[in-house]
Amino acid sequence: METIFEAQDFIMNTGVEQKICGHAPHAIYEASVNKLHALEQMMSFYRDGSETTELNRHAGKEAVKLSQDMMFVLEQAQAFAQLSENAFHILLAPMVQLWRNAGAENKLPARDEISKTLKLCDSGNLVLDKAAGTAYLKQEGAMLDLGAIGKGFAADVCCDLYKALGATSAFINLGGNVKTLGSRPDGKPWVVGLQHPDQPRGKSYGAILCADQSVVTSGAYERYQVIDGRKYHHIIDGRTGYPSASDLKSVTVVSENSMQADALSTAAFVMGLRKGTDLIDQASCTGAVFFTAANEVYLSKGMKQHFRLLERFPCYEL
Ligand code: AMP
Ligand code: MG
C-alpha cells in the first residue's frame, strides 16, 4: 500500500520540507536527504572544501576541476545571465558581502567602495572550460555565489530522485523554493501559497495550483539589512552595486524546471515589471506572478488558470 511520509530538516542553510508518497517513502526520503547534503557540500559558499569555496580560493591563480553537476549548474547560470542581460548573475558575492558588512556596522558603503567592488563583480570573470572540466575566476577577489540558483537545482535533483525511486507523488519546499512531482495523492493539484510581501510569514495573498511544476519567489522582504533605520534587501542590481530598486515587491515564477524558476525569479525581480514580463514571455517557463510596489498583481500570459487570488488586490493579466 502507498503511504505518505512527511519530514522537515535544515539543510543548505534553509528549512526543507518534504512530502513523499509511494511504496517505501522513508527510503526515498533518506536518499534525498543524502543527496541534499552532497549538493550542499558541492555548492556552499561557506563550507571549506566545497567546489564554490575552492574556486573562490583559487581566483586569479588557477583553474579548478569541477564535478559534472557543478559544471552543469555553472553553464546554466551563464545562460540565464545572458538571457537576463546580467540582471541575474553568479559573481555578485563581493557586493553581497559589502552590504552584509555595512549592515553589521550600520554604515552605508562609500561610493568608491561600491565602484571598486563592482569591478570584482564583472560577470566575465568566470571562464568555463567544458572540455577540460574546469572553471577559472580571472580576478583575485572575484567570488562565485549560487544563492540565487542552487536551491532550484537541488529541487530538480530531488524530484528526479523521487521519480527514479518510484514515488508516485511528492512535494519539496527548500526555503520557499517549491517543486512538485505529479499531483497530490488525492489527485488534486498541489496548492502553493504566495507570501504577502508586507505581512507576517505564512500570510498568503494568492496561490498557485500545480502538478509537476516548480514555484519560486524572489522578494525584497525575504532578507535585508537595516542601516540608519532603512531597509536594504539582499538582491543586488549588478549595474549599480545597490540593492535593486525596481517597481516590484516580489516575483513568483512557475516552471517545470526549478533551477530556471529560481534564476528567472531573481532576474525578473531586478528587471522590474515591464522588462521582467518580456523575460518571462521569452523563456520556456509556464509564467510569472508580479506583486508591484503599488500593491497590484500582474499575471503573465498563461498564468490565469494556475493562479487564485486570496486577497482583494487589483489583479491584471498581461
Ligand atoms: P533569490 O532569493 O533566489 O532571489 O537569491 C538571492 C541571493 O542570491 C542573495 O542572497 C545573494 O546571495 C545572491 N544574489 C543577490 N543578487 C543577485 C543577482 N542579481 N543575481 C544572482 N544572485 C544574486
Ligand atoms: Mg533565485
Side-chain angles (χ1 to χ4, degrees):
M1 205 191 68
E2 294 204 333
T3 48
I4 302 185
F5 180 80
E6 298 191 21
Q8 306 220 359
D9 295 275
F10 193 85
I11 314 175
M12 296 177 82
N13 261 326
T14 195
V16 180
E17 182 191 1
Q18 299 181 76
K19 297 178 191 176
I20 303 167
C21 182
H23 286 296
H26 190 263
I28 301 175
Y29 159 74
E30 285 191 338
S32 79
V33 165
N34 286 340
K35 191 69 201 177
L36 286 171
H37 283 300
L39 291 176
E40 179 168 23
Q41 186 53 42
M42 174 179 109
M43 296 188 285
S44 170
F45 183 78
Y46 302 101
R47 281 202 181 193
D48 278 352
S50 76
E51 295 184 47
T52 298
T53 310
E54 283 305 291
L55 252 171
N56 293 347
R57 204 161 63 84
H58 290 93
K61 299 188 184 95
E62 58 186 348
V64 170
K65 187 89 186 155
L66 300 182
S67 63
Q68 278 184 3
D69 275 354
M70 187 70 169
M71 180 61 89
F72 175 69
V73 174
L74 298 193
E75 279 177 338
Q76 293 287 311
Q78 283 192 329
F80 291 126
Q82 206 177 6
L83 186 70
S84 69
E85 293 169 355
N86 282 335
F88 162 93
H89 79 82
I90 55 174
L91 292 170
L92 291 168
M95 199 60 81
V96 171
Q97 277 196 337
L98 184 70
W99 281 96
R100 195 172 299 141
N101 295 341
E105 290 167 15
N106 192 23
K107 189 166 168 278
L108 277 177
R111 273 190 188 273
D112 64 326
E113 270 181 294
I114 299 248
S115 12
K116 216 168 59 191
T117 308
L118 266 178
K119 296 204 179 82
L120 290 177
C121 296
D122 186 333
S123 67
N125 268 327
L126 176 67
V127 182
L128 300 182
D129 183 338
K130 206 178 168 199
T134 59
Y136 178 48
L137 287 171
K138 287 197 285 191
Q139 259 193 90
E140 195 174 341
M143 284 191 283
L144 190 79
D145 166 15
L146 298 178
I149 189 172
K151 290 198 286 254
F153 176 64
D156 286 333
V157 169
C158 285
C159 275
D160 287 349
L161 192 65
Y162 298 150
K163 202 170 169 183
L165 297 180
T168 47
S169 158
F171 168 101
I172 182 165
N173 181 355
L174 278 141
N177 198 309
V178 171
K179 186 160 181 180
T180 59
L181 173 72
S183 40
R184 285 189 339 194
D186 63 6
K188 293 188 178 145
W190 296 98
V191 180
V192 181
L194 305 186
Q195 173 66 40
H196 189 307
D198 301 323
Q199 287 192 12
R201 201 161 277 270
K203 174 82 180 144
S204 303
Y205 74 89
I208 301 287
L209 309 185
C210 65
D212 286 315
Q213 296 265 344
S214 173
V215 181
V216 182
T217 301
S218 282
Y221 58 90
E222 287 206 36
R223 259 176 291 148
Y224 53 83
Q225 324 277 346
V226 180
I227 305 173
D228 280 342
R230 249 194 83 183
K231 284 184 183 173
Y232 293 87
H233 65 78
H234 68 131
I235 300 175
I236 300 291
D237 185 333
R239 292 165 299 192
T240 62
Y242 284 78
S244 74
S246 74
D247 52 357
L248 298 173
K249 286 186 181 171
S250 79
V251 182
T252 299
V253 176
V254 181
S255 170
E256 283 175 19
N257 181 317
S258 193
M259 178 161 56
Q260 182 195 49
D262 197 357
L264 295 187
S265 62
T266 307
F269 180 75
V270 173
M271 292 166 97
L273 179 62
R274 198 177 57 77
K275 285 194 140 191
T277 307
D278 292 345
L279 174 78
I280 296 301
D281 287 347
Q282 259 180 52
S284 58
C285 55
T286 307
V289 182
F290 300 88
F291 191 109
T292 69
N295 295 334
E296 295 166 327
V297 177
Y298 287 85
L299 306 178
S300 74
K301 286 191 194 85
M303 275 308 290
K304 196 178 173 192
Q305 68 199 69
H306 298 281
F307 179 74
R308 295 287 176 277
L309 190 66
L310 304 176
E311 292 234 349
R312 284 167 162 259
F313 287 115
C315 183
Y316 308 99
E317 277 179 83
L318 290 161

